[in-house]
Amino acid sequence: MGLIETLRFRVLPYWKTYVLVLLPLILLPLPVIGQGKEARAGYVIIIMAVFWMTEALPLAITSLLPVVLFPLLGIMGTGKVCTAYMKETNMMFIGGLMVALTIEHCNLHKRIALRVLLLVGASPRWLMLGFMLTTMFLSMWISNTATTAMMVPIVEAVVQELFKDGEEEMKREPNVRMVPDGMSTCSSNNTLEIDLDSSESQNLEAVSIDSIADVGKSCQELTAASADQRSYSCTTHEYKQTIRTCVLMSIAYSSNIGGTGSLIGSSPQLALKGILDELYGSAPGLNFASWMAFNVPGMLINTFLAWIWLQCLFLGFKRTTADDNTQAAVVKKLIRRKYEELGPMTFHELATLILFILCVALWFFRDPQFITGWAEFLPAVEVDDATAVMTIVLLLFIIPAKPRFWNRDTAERNWAGPSPALLEWKLVQDRLPWGIVLLLGGGFALSDASKASGLSSWLGDQLAVLSFLPPFAIMLIICIMTAAVTEVASNTATANILLPILAEMAVTIKVNPLFLMLPATVTCSYAFMLPVATPPNAIVFAAGRMNPIDMVKAGLLMNIVCVVVICVLMASFGSFMFGFDEFPDWAVPQVKNATMTTLSQFSNCTSP
């Protein structure tokens, strides 16, 4: 058996086992030979970073390694490590997820999506913009994965309706050309794709769009049906596949970008909030309102640029024809029918919508900084965002979903049984992503250990060699490196490892820590190139049966554009909001206190 066969049959199937066993052994000289807690903390962080990137262990299980290794290596006590897994930021995250689950449970997100699509045009380019705006908005508040999973079957149904009449015509006259004049008929995807017949289109319209499982089921049905269908005209098929690929990519892009719009949109910004609170308290001035004030403009700019770029890459720019208007009318009729199938708004949806708006208002006006926030009326204690969202969560578990006074049906009104609440614990237990909660907690444990061991200070000193560069260049380099790493690693894991180092680096080179940490956090969500980079990428890649080269080609420019946009915003609008022109006073004591402590210890040792 040759070397290649040995690697293929005896090594590759068990590569995770080799990583789990060999990596700690290879790195063992680091804590043995290295002096001090810094080397031991670095040993744990390197192991966790590799495990997170390779997923040799599940991400959530890797996040529990600090509970085992930090106490055994003498870095932190077990009690201190465990408290990192349930900080205020984690509670805020859990509460936000519960509110999002309620929105999904009552189908409020579906009603919002279809309503927005009715307001925009029904031509492919305007439909794509409608899909992007809807996905972007929903991703600000609920899971990017759930938003993408909901939108994909709607896209499939719309694309099928766009080409339904043309496919029926081609069955009678195979030489009919559907591609509009001026459109390219060749796609860079050379793989063979098969279309669906009308019966499969009807099945697709009936597919539930409530969960990721529905997306997987519909993708399997599409693939199975494709194997039995004959291929239609190449030009028509390629144009249809181009439209599908373009719109599906736009959903993934707007989902990733939309997650940066609010403080609970994605987990990296929650990691940033937790680390800033641990290091500096509330002094940096980053809260729900200031985050949205800074990031929403960038989110809108990036979404608009993504819309333009995908049109240039896939659709081109052409005038609307009479056939396009006919197809648009058909699609709009389909969307209206789906919206009407939802029926009138239920009490469950209305109550959830009111509580959601109230939750956002409580977050936004807790400490808006331009007016007196409601938390300032409680000066005796510090009230944070977790208190606001948990108040709403309690109401979700108390308010009935079907109160008797709302039911018009006499039978339901006279039913003696109690109404279920707006949110039930079984739903939370089954669908809340507990693994991400552990992932956040593991990141906070790493941050605490890096600070306690002195590793962050040591790494910051080593990176001080970059101080000869302008701050903008340093920020740009950090964002480019972060965008590259987050393509192959979890965005939360990337933020957990990077942010404590950037905090110390900023103090060393005398720049505002937010100037480096905030753009790096946002860049963690800018992963557009690879299907494995984010769950939205994976969902649309499977649903659209895309060529990986198409995704890489489209995503590379998007990565560059989004990095440039966030860096320019930081140097202009961010400087106006957060005052990046000078080193802040709230970061100075971090250096002074350490110096004074060292001098005090030296004085005590030398005094008679």
Side-chain angles (χ1 to χ4, degrees):
M1 181 179 293
L3 178 61
I4 297 179
E5 287 78 8
T6 302
L7 292 174
R8 180 179 179 184
F9 295 106
R10 295 186 178 179
V11 178
L12 293 181
Y14 309 102
W15 67 269
K16 289 186 177 181
T17 303
Y18 290 112
V19 172
L20 290 173
V21 175
L22 294 180
L23 181 65
L25 295 177
I26 293 173
L27 297 176
L28 194 57
L30 184 60
V32 173
I33 301 176
Q35 298 295 323
K37 293 183 179 181
E38 297 93 334
R40 298 195 294 272
Y43 174 74
V44 178
I45 290 175
I46 294 175
I47 290 176
M48 292 184 65
V50 174
F51 284 3
W52 269 334
M53 293 181 65
T54 61
E55 295 190 35
L57 284 176
L59 295 178
I61 301 304
T62 300
S63 303
L64 295 175
L65 286 179
V67 181
V68 178
L69 296 180
F70 286 162
L72 294 180
L73 294 176
I75 300 171
M76 290 177 64
T78 303
K80 291 184 178 180
V81 175
C82 291
T83 55
Y85 288 82
M86 201 51 69
K87 292 186 177 182
E88 184 274 334
T89 304
N90 299 73
M91 294 300 295
M92 177 186 176
F93 182 59
I94 293 173
L97 289 175
M98 289 184 180
V99 174
L101 284 177
T102 310
I103 294 174
E104 296 175 42
H105 180 53
C106 68
N107 280 333
L108 178 62
H109 62 322
K110 188 189 304 184
R111 184 179 296 276
I112 294 173
L114 293 174
R115 188 63 185 174
V116 172
L117 291 176
L118 282 175
L119 297 178
V120 300
S123 64
R125 70 185 71 256
W126 291 111
L127 267 177
M128 181 171 70
L129 180 62
F131 279 120
M132 294 182 73
L133 293 177
T134 305
T135 306
M136 177 198 72
F137 175 76
L138 292 176
S139 293
M140 292 174 62
W141 314 107
I142 66 177
S143 162
N144 297 353
T145 307
T147 302
T148 307
M150 181 201 71
M151 298 299 292
V152 164
I154 300 178
V155 171
E156 292 286 2
V158 168
V159 171
Q160 291 296 329
E161 197 69 25
L162 271 173
F163 291 89
K164 183 177 179 181
D165 295 337
E167 289 175 356
E168 293 177 353
E169 183 68 21
M170 280 190 299
K171 292 179 181 179
R172 297 189 295 269
E173 299 183 20
N175 293 327
V176 171
R177 177 184 178 87
M178 283 187 59
V179 181
D181 295 337
M183 272 293 300
S184 173
T185 61
C186 297
S187 171
S188 59
N189 186 354
N190 295 323
T191 57
L192 178 63
E193 301 288 351
I194 310 297
D195 290 338
L196 306 176
D197 62 5
S198 58
S199 63
E200 186 61 27
S201 177
Q202 294 173 359
N203 292 336
L204 180 61
E205 293 178 9
V207 171
S208 171
I209 56 176
D210 290 333
S211 66
I212 303 175
D214 296 328
V215 179
K217 179 181 177 182
S218 50
C219 291
Q220 292 174 0
E221 292 174 354
L222 294 174
T223 306
S226 301
D228 300 329
Q229 304 301 322
R230 64 185 181 86
S231 161
Y232 292 127
S233 163
C234 178
T235 55
T236 303
H237 163 70
E238 289 185 352
Y239 180 50
K240 176 179 178 179
Q241 180 63 18
T242 298
I243 295 293
R244 177 189 285 117
T245 300
C246 180
V247 179
L248 288 176
M249 275 192 184
S250 71
I251 288 177
Y253 290 0
S254 53
S255 179
N256 293 330
I257 295 171
T260 66
S262 74
L263 200 56
I264 63 166
S266 295
S267 47
Q269 44 259 45
L270 288 171
L272 172 66
K273 180 180 182 296
I275 292 172
L276 286 176
D277 289 346
E278 179 70 22
L279 295 177
Y280 310 111
S282 59
L286 185 69
N287 53 36
F288 196 89
S290 59
W291 178 276
M292 288 192 66
F294 174 75
N295 282 285
V296 167
M299 177 189 70
L300 294 174
I301 293 172
N302 286 331
T303 302
F304 176 75
L305 293 177
W307 180 57
I308 297 297
W309 165 237
L310 289 174
Q311 287 186 77
C312 295
L313 189 62
F314 291 102
L315 298 180
F317 296 93
K318 65 181 184 64
R319 294 182 178 179
T320 304
T321 63
D323 292 339
D324 293 335
N325 292 330
T326 302
Q327 288 182 344
V330 173
V331 170
K332 194 162 188 178
K333 184 178 180 181
L334 167 68
I335 297 173
R336 184 174 297 278
R337 184 173 75 247
K338 286 184 173 293
Y339 182 79
E340 292 173 351
E341 288 174 359
L342 296 176
M345 179 173 280
T346 64
F347 178 84
H348 196 170
E349 293 175 272
L350 181 61
T352 301
L353 177 61
I354 293 174
L355 290 177
F356 167 70
I357 295 174
L358 179 60
C359 181
V360 175
L362 288 175
W363 275 334
F364 194 89
F365 292 104
R366 181 184 65 84
D367 184 22
Q369 297 183 3
F370 59 89
I371 60 173
T372 302
W374 59 266
E376 296 183 21
F377 293 100
L378 302 170
V381 293
E382 182 180 357
V383 181
D384 219 324
D385 293 322
T387 300
V389 69
M390 284 304 172
T391 302
I392 301 301
V393 168
L394 289 175
L395 293 176
L396 291 175
F397 279 97
I398 294 173
I399 299 175
K402 298 179 180 179
R404 293 186 182 182
F405 67 84
W406 190 271
N407 290 326
R408 299 178 181 179
D409 191 346
T410 306
E412 290 188 6
R413 190 184 307 131
N414 295 332
W415 182 56
S419 168
L422 297 176
L423 180 63
E424 295 184 294
W425 178 249
K426 187 178 186 306
L427 179 69
V428 175
Q429 187 176 4
D430 293 340
R431 296 185 58 184
L432 192 77
W434 300 103
I436 300 182
V437 178
L438 292 178
L439 188 61
L440 269 179
F444 293 150
L446 287 184
S447 173
D448 293 347
S450 298
K451 180 182 178 182
S453 65
L455 179 63
S456 295
S457 299
W458 181 84
L459 289 174
D461 292 339
Q462 306 310 308
L463 294 174
V465 297
L466 297 175
S467 59
F468 72 93
L469 293 174
F472 183 86
I474 297 176
M475 176 179 61
L476 183 61
I477 293 172
I478 291 172
C479 288
I480 292 174
M481 293 175 59
T482 303
V485 172
T486 196
E487 290 287 347
V488 295
S490 163
N491 55 2
T492 309
T494 303
N496 287 339
I497 295 172
L498 189 62
L499 292 179
I501 300 174
L502 293 181
E504 293 295 337
M505 178 182 176
V507 173
T508 302
I509 64 176
K510 297 297 186 295
V511 299
N512 190 316
L514 279 178
F515 187 74
L516 300 182
M517 298 174 71
L518 199 155
T521 301
V522 176
T523 307
C524 286
S525 297
Y526 292 158
F528 307 108
M529 292 174 56
L530 301 179
V532 298
T534 63
N537 289 11
I539 291 173
V540 301
F541 179 80
R545 304 183 296 279
M546 300 178 187
N547 188 337
I549 300 300
D550 288 342
M551 181 167 278
V552 172
K553 181 174 63 175
L556 177 61
L557 183 64
M558 276 307 304
N559 274 15
I560 297 173
V561 167
C562 289
V563 167
V564 171
V565 168
I566 185 62
C567 289
V568 171
L569 282 176
M570 285 297 297
S572 54
F573 185 44
S575 182
F576 168 75
M577 280 195 61
F578 300 106
F580 294 144
D581 296 333
E582 58 183 17
F583 191 60
D585 294 336
W586 48 262
V588 174
Q590 302 297 319
V591 180
K592 288 184 177 179
N593 289 343
T595 304
M596 294 302 296
T597 302
T598 303
L599 291 176
S600 176
Q601 292 174 350
F602 179 77
S603 176
N604 292 335
C605 293
T606 57
S607 61

